[in-house]
Amino acid sequence: MTDTIFSKIINKEIPADIVYEDEKCIAFNDISPQAPTHILVIPRKGISKLSESQETDKDLLGHLMLSATQIAKKLNLDDYRLVINNGADAGQTVFHLHIHILAGRPFGWPPG
Ligand code: 5GP
């Protein structure tokens, strides 16, 4: 996949407000928050979108989900929404897989 702004954040070429990182993933505050808490959890591995992930990414995908829940727990978030936009029509604008953690306000359904 081609490099994105998130590759630059992973490589510390541009700053980000990092809230968590380990050997497989990094999480940071969204630059344009859509809720009082808006964090992005991304794999260090370059996967452009969820549908491009492979069977061999199974552990990594589980790790991302568990990391998201652990970050939420650490921040004492009770209710929150996890979002993965897969593809442009679904709202994806940065083509490096990421999970949004959104919290701190009520959310409607269906989403816009
Ligand atoms: P998407 O629309 O692809 O699901 O989400 C991409 C998210 O990345 C958006 O919420 C957008 O605000 C965020 N974003 C884009 N560029 C940057 C950046 O340079 N830094 C940070 N922290 N977030 C970014």
Side-chain angles (χ1 to χ4, degrees):
M1 70 168 238
T2 52
D3 274 359
T4 67
I5 195 86
F6 290 176
S7 320
K8 291 187 167 59
I9 289 175
I10 290 167
N11 295 327
K12 310 277 168 72
E13 291 165 14
I14 62 166
D17 188 7
I18 294 169
V19 298
Y20 174 79
E21 61 182 321
D22 62 26
E23 74 286 359
K24 289 183 184 157
C25 73
I26 179 164
F28 50 89
N29 286 317
D30 197 292
I31 204 166
S32 176
Q34 301 302 308
T37 298
H38 188 171
I39 293 166
L40 303 172
V41 185
I42 73 173
R44 291 188 188 276
K45 179 180 177 184
I47 300 171
S48 61
K49 56 181 179 174
L50 182 63
S51 56
E52 293 297 323
S53 58
Q54 308 289 320
E55 180 70 20
T56 49
D57 295 318
K58 189 158 48 175
D59 285 350
L60 177 59
L61 295 177
H63 183 80
L64 293 175
M65 291 294 279
L66 285 173
S67 296
T69 61
Q70 283 160 8
I71 291 163
K73 195 171 186 178
K74 200 169 143 194
L75 296 176
N76 293 315
L77 303 176
D78 286 329
D79 298 342
Y80 52 90
R81 180 171 287 182
L82 301 184
V83 173
I84 298 176
N85 295 322
N86 186 78
D89 282 355
Q92 187 173 4
T93 57
V94 179
F95 284 80
H96 183 122
L97 172 64
H98 50 281
I99 301 174
H100 297 255
I101 305 173
L102 295 146
R105 67 169 173 84
F107 296 101
W109 193 265

